[in-house]
Amino acid sequence: MNSKKLVSTIFIMAVMTLVVLNMTVESMYAAGEPARPQLDIVKAPFGETPSGEAIDIYTLTNAAGMSARIMTYGAIVVSLQAPDRDGNFDDVTLGFDTLDGYFKDSPYFGAIVGRYGNRIGDAKFVLDGETYTLARNNGPNALHGGVAGFDKRVWDAKVVRHNGQPALELSYVSEDGEEGYPGKLRCEVTYSLNNQNELTIEYRAKTNEATPLNLTNHTYFNLRGHQRLGDILGHELTLNANWYTPVDDTLIPTGEILSVKGTPMDFTSPHPIGERINSDDPQIKIGGGYDHNFVLNKIEADALTFGGRVYEPESGRVLEFYTTQPGVQFYSGNFLDGSNVGKGGVAYQYRYGFCLETQHFPDSPNKSQFPSTILHKNEDYHQVTMYRFSAR
Ligand code: BGC
């Protein structure tokens, strides 16, 4: 065969191979079937703040059909569609259909909370010899970053590639002195959803002056889904935590770290959330249910480790979380009372949602025995939490 013939034979074989390959792919997606699944992020307008700032909402969809809607107000997770054991999708988070809902008394539905998620006792802390005074927005204490914390701020958004996949990066610059905290702080929160139904939240920050920092996400989950919403007492919870931080009657840690053994705090094996929630245990009484920080069992500090699992027996949905954080606030929705009318016009009644807020321990700036939450000038802050959804 001369060289001209050889080249044309190779060319014809290459074309034929491409045609056959293409037919195989096409035959998997016959006419009339949905478009080829892919990871995708789509932006849409979601309204305006009372001061006229435009808010966008981004829908992250994966190849398995799961989706997460996240908006630039509060970096809030507005909805999360997850499959049950029969493959039916439903929204498993609490929130509102429209932006306006989030302006009146949202109990931090879906939000990023900061600078300091959870409570700081007496709304005060001392740092480098200076006393800082914060707003008392929860009895005598400061809660979730103050009167206008990160959940009430407008974040900048851009779609980026993260670990080879599209992701949503939200950023916010908190000015020096905002809500009483020192230092100008730049925060980035990246949400990504992969094809294994894992929603990952990655937090980064840098400051020009030392400041306490404790960022978390405050999504309320209900794995029954919105179509069959009810309380969360039948959900079975496992926590990878042998210890927890007991609280005083204003929900500030006493500073002790106690064993969960023999108490209603023991979720080292699965228990329905409602099983021991009405017990006479003094800690449960103080919390009005579960509203406590659990100390996660870590082999290596800052490593992404298994934090816990929630299983909802009727739908079969399972939520597992992994985190680099040392603790998790397990909150059983004790302050929900039906006054928040959420998605689909559903009134969110007592204990209709639970939160697993991965975090540093509450009141750490005033508890030197707890892992430090101080971010120093030019240090890199980096935390990761991953929520994995499945069904059985
Ligand atoms: C706190 C609860 C509080 C809820 C909503 C949780 O993180 O632990 O006490 O009611 O947030 O503000």
Side-chain angles (χ1 to χ4, degrees):
M1 198 185 291
N2 66 29
S3 62
K4 244 187 175 174
K5 262 194 175 162
L6 183 66
V7 170
S8 58
T9 311
I10 291 174
F11 178 75
I12 289 167
M13 281 173 70
V15 169
M16 280 172 66
T17 312
L18 281 175
V19 168
V20 170
L21 271 180
N22 194 41
M23 276 169 59
T24 319
V25 175
E26 287 304 327
S27 61
M28 286 162 59
Y29 297 99
E33 282 188 15
R36 273 176 221 177
Q38 57 179 356
L39 284 165
D40 201 9
I41 300 185
V42 174
K43 171 183 172 182
F46 198 52
E48 277 185 6
T49 64
S51 62
E53 279 179 280
I55 300 300
D56 292 320
I57 190 157
Y58 290 77
T59 305
L60 285 62
T61 310
N62 74 4
M66 188 170 161
S67 63
R69 290 167 72 236
I70 295 154
M71 68 162 153
T72 52
Y73 182 75
I76 287 172
V77 176
V78 174
S79 70
L80 205 53
Q81 294 279 339
D84 67 8
R85 66 163 72 85
D86 300 318
N88 299 315
F89 283 83
D90 201 0
D91 186 357
V92 294
T93 63
L94 306 193
F96 300 101
D97 284 321
T98 62
L99 179 59
D100 287 2
Y102 290 90
F103 300 145
K104 30 180 173 35
D105 299 329
S106 168
Y108 304 89
F109 285 148
I112 294 294
V113 290
R115 283 190 201 190
Y116 202 94
N118 217 313
R119 292 173 175 81
I120 294 184
D122 201 21
K124 264 191 203 136
F125 63 92
V126 178
L127 180 57
D128 296 334
E130 203 164 318
T131 301
Y132 293 89
T133 306
L134 311 166
R136 292 183 151 166
N137 61 341
N138 187 254
N141 306 319
L143 176 70
H144 292 337
V147 177
F150 291 4
D151 59 296
K152 295 178 186 67
R153 304 285 173 168
V154 179
W155 295 60
D156 285 330
K158 64 175 180 204
V159 175
V160 294
R161 286 203 78 78
H162 190 66
N163 299 330
Q165 291 168 345
L168 178 65
E169 183 186 286
L170 295 152
S171 55
Y172 174 65
V173 177
S174 172
E175 293 300 334
D176 183 12
E178 185 182 288
E179 288 291 336
Y181 289 95
K184 181 173 180 175
L185 178 82
R186 184 187 159 81
C187 297
E188 275 163 21
V189 172
T190 307
Y191 285 98
S192 57
L193 175 66
N194 67 14
N195 286 334
Q196 285 71 51
N197 287 355
E198 295 168 346
L199 179 73
T200 300
I201 313 178
E202 194 154 350
Y203 306 81
R204 290 176 197 279
K206 222 162 192 159
T207 182
N208 67 356
E209 211 185 306
T211 178
L213 183 63
N214 192 21
L215 298 176
T216 188
N217 177 277
H218 208 293
T219 294
Y220 289 67
F221 297 100
N222 187 321
L223 301 183
R224 296 168 64 94
H226 263 70
Q227 283 160 37
R228 294 188 308 137
L229 214 67
D231 68 46
I232 46 83
L233 299 179
H235 287 54
E236 291 169 18
L237 174 68
T238 307
L239 287 176
N240 183 20
N242 293 346
W243 307 87
Y244 78 107
T245 51
V247 286
D248 69 16
D249 56 11
T250 70
L251 297 180
I252 292 295
T254 60
E256 299 153 285
I257 295 185
L258 296 186
S259 169
V260 298
K261 250 212 167 88
T263 79
M265 302 291 166
D266 190 350
F267 286 98
T268 52
S269 60
H271 285 273
I273 292 172
E275 186 185 311
R276 300 161 295 178
I277 206 165
N278 295 318
S279 83
D280 287 335
D281 181 277
Q283 281 297 313
I284 293 282
K285 288 262 174 251
I286 288 177
Y290 295 98
D291 198 350
H292 295 83
N293 170 64
F294 288 75
V295 179
L296 293 171
N297 301 333
K298 292 255 162 183
I299 297 164
E300 202 188 319
D302 302 330
L304 192 69
T305 31
F306 175 67
R309 178 182 302 111
V310 189
Y311 169 63
E312 200 286 298
E314 283 181 39
S315 64
R317 288 192 182 92
V318 179
L319 162 61
E320 291 173 295
F321 69 98
Y322 288 75
T323 187
T324 59
Q325 297 269 31
V328 62
Q329 182 85 4
F330 167 46
Y331 169 55
S332 53
N334 314 311
F335 294 110
L336 295 175
D337 58 6
S339 59
N340 293 119
V341 178
K343 291 178 270 195
V346 178
Y348 295 138
Q349 306 291 352
Y350 189 44
R351 296 180 175 153
Y352 262 37
F354 66 87
C355 302
L356 289 166
E357 301 153 60
T358 54
Q359 58 170 15
H360 267 255
F361 308 168
D363 201 30
S364 296
N366 294 312
K367 301 276 187 309
S368 55
Q369 66 272 47
F370 288 173
S372 171
T373 49
I374 305 303
L375 180 70
H376 294 281
K377 182 177 173 170
N378 293 334
E379 232 173 37
D380 287 316
Y381 175 91
H382 184 221
Q383 298 285 353
V384 183
T385 294
M386 184 264 274
Y387 297 98
R388 178 188 294 145
F389 295 85
S390 60
R392 60 174 145 97

